[in-house]
Amino acid sequence: MANEERKNVAAEHNVIMENRSSVSISGVNDVDSFDDRAIKAYTDMGGLLIKGSELHIEKLSVESGELKVEGRIDSLEYSEGKRGGKSVFSKIFK
């Protein structure tokens, strides 16, 4: 498959939640912001806002597109908005 064809094929995106205390997400491109009440991530399917309490990122691998969040998860909300500007991680790791 040519590089242009690969760019047009979206990576697989899955969300697996366990007991509202853990969520594993694949197809994550970046994390824009995070604190103990909200995590804003970008996936192949659009923006994803995870809201809750005592949230922390257990695992983040942009290379493999994996994100694992633990804490009390109250909601997952998708948006169609495109990412604007640089993310927290791209600013830290120049």
Side-chain angles (χ1 to χ4, degrees):
M1 192 182 279
N3 281 342
E4 282 186 30
E5 290 177 34
R6 285 187 198 150
K7 289 179 184 177
N8 292 330
V9 176
E12 190 170 310
H13 175 66
N14 293 301
V15 176
I16 301 170
M17 187 180 311
E18 299 176 26
N19 301 320
R20 289 184 62 183
S21 63
S22 174
V23 63
S24 298
I25 305 165
S26 64
V28 174
N29 300 319
D30 207 353
V31 172
D32 186 49
S33 62
F34 62 94
D35 61 31
D36 64 339
R37 292 174 291 157
I39 298 171
K40 186 176 181 182
Y42 292 96
T43 74
D44 295 325
M45 305 307 271
L48 177 59
L49 181 61
I50 304 164
K51 292 183 181 179
S53 59
E54 299 179 21
L55 298 177
H56 65 275
I57 296 174
E58 182 69 22
K59 177 181 180 182
L60 172 62
S61 173
V62 178
E63 291 82 25
S64 66
E66 296 176 63
L67 172 65
K68 184 171 183 178
V69 175
E70 293 187 350
R72 177 170 169 84
I73 299 160
D74 293 330
S75 69
L76 301 171
E77 182 180 321
Y78 283 93
S79 66
E80 293 298 324
K82 298 291 182 189
R83 176 176 58 209
K86 293 186 176 184
S87 75
V88 171
F89 291 106
S90 64
K91 291 175 188 173
I92 293 172
F93 303 110
K94 291 182 181 184

